[in-house]
Amino acid sequence: MRKLVTGVAMAVAVLAVLAAQARTQTADWFQWRGPNRDGKSTETGLLKTWPTQGPPLAWRGTGAGIGYSSFAASGGRLYTMGGRGGREFVVAFDAATGRKLWETPIGTLFSNDRGDGPRGTPTIDRARLYALGGSGDLVALDIQTGKPAWSKNVVQDFGGRNISWGLSESPLVVNDRVLVQAGGPNASIVALDKAKGSLLWRNHSDEAGYASAVLATVGGTQQAVFFTAERALGVSLRDGRELWSYDKVANRTANIATPIVAGNRVFVSSDYGTGAALLELTANGVREVYFTRDMRNHHSTSVLIGEHLYGFSGSILTAMRLGDGTVAWRDRSVGKGSLVYADQRLYLYSENGVVGLAEPTPDGYREHGRFRIEPGSLPTWSHPIISGGRLILRDQDQIYAYNVKAP
C-alpha cells in the first residue's frame, strides 16, 4: 500500500511539474516570433519611453557563436544556435546573467559569403528543444542538459539540396510531430515523430524556402501554412496533402518572411521587387483578396496590431491596413531591419545596429527612443525578442540584454 501511495505521489508531482512548464511556456517566447509565431509578446508593464541613452543594459555576454539565429526563451533560459571551428551548436544561457549553461554540437557549419553559421531559431516543446541547422541538421535535445534525443540531416536523408543562403527555418512542432522543409523530391515538406525522429509523412517537391511555417484553422481544422521557394501553400497536418496553393507572391530568389494568419485570412509577402497578398482560406481552397507592392518584406516579417500591419517594405517602415492594403504611412525609422511588439510598442532593430521604440498607430510614425550598439562587420540580422522584461539582441557572438521593465 505504501508503494502505491508513493507512486501516486510521484505521479502527481510529475504532472504538477509538467503543468507548470506548460504555463510557463505559454507566457514565454518559446519559439520563432514568440508564443504564436506572430511577433507579439504578452508581457506588460514595460517602458513606454526610453531614456536618452536607451534603456539600461542588464548584461552583455559572448559565446553565441557566428550566425543569425534568434532566441527562444523558457524557464529562465535563452536558447539559440551558433557556429565556430567548422561546427554548429545549440547553446543555452542563463537569462538573468548571460552565463553559458551548455552547448551541444549538431552538425557541419554552413558557410556563405553573407555570413557563416545557422539561421533558424530553436523551438521549445516542454522538456525538449528542436532546432534546424544551416546545413540541414535537425535535432531534438533535452532543454536542461542539451543531451541529444535524436538527430538527422533532412537534406541528406530526403535527397534534397541546400539553398543559396542556407536553411533558415525554425521547426514547427504540433501535437506529436515536427514539420520542416527538406526540399527533396516528394519531400519538400516532411513530418517527423517528435519523440523518435521517425518519418510520419513526406510530400510535395518544391525547393525549400527560407520562411518558417505557421498554423491556421479553417472550418475547425488546423493546417500548416508554408512558404517554399515556389509558392505559399496550406497542407494537412495528418498527411501533408495540399489544401490550397498560391504562387504569385513567390519571387524565386528568397522567400523569407513568415506568413501572417488572421482568422481565415493569410498575409504573405516577399521582396526582390515582388510584393504581398492577402488570401482568404475557405473549405474549397483559397481566394486572393488583393495583391500589393506596397509591403515587400525581405528577411523581416510584419506585425499585425489591430487592423494594421507594421513592417519593413524594403528598407522603409510601413503601416498598412490589412483588410484592403491601404498604406497609412511610411517612415525611414531606424533603417532596414526587423521588429517585434510588446505592451503597446514596436521594438525595432536595424541591420546597422540601431534600436528604436515606436508606437503602433496608423496616425503616423511616433518614436519613443533609440540607441545604437556598435555592430561588427556583418549586418545585425538576428531578430530581437522580449522576455522577462528584457529586450534581447544579438550581433553574431555578442548578446545584449536591456532592462525595459517600467519601475
Side-chain angles (χ1 to χ4, degrees), residues 36 73 388:
N36 298 308

Side-chain angles (χ1 to χ4, degrees), residues 11-27 74 126-127:
V12 170
V14 170
L15 289 173
V17 171
L18 291 175
Q21 286 179 337
R23 288 193 298 271
T24 300
Q25 181 170 301
T26 300
S74 182
R126 293 184 180 270

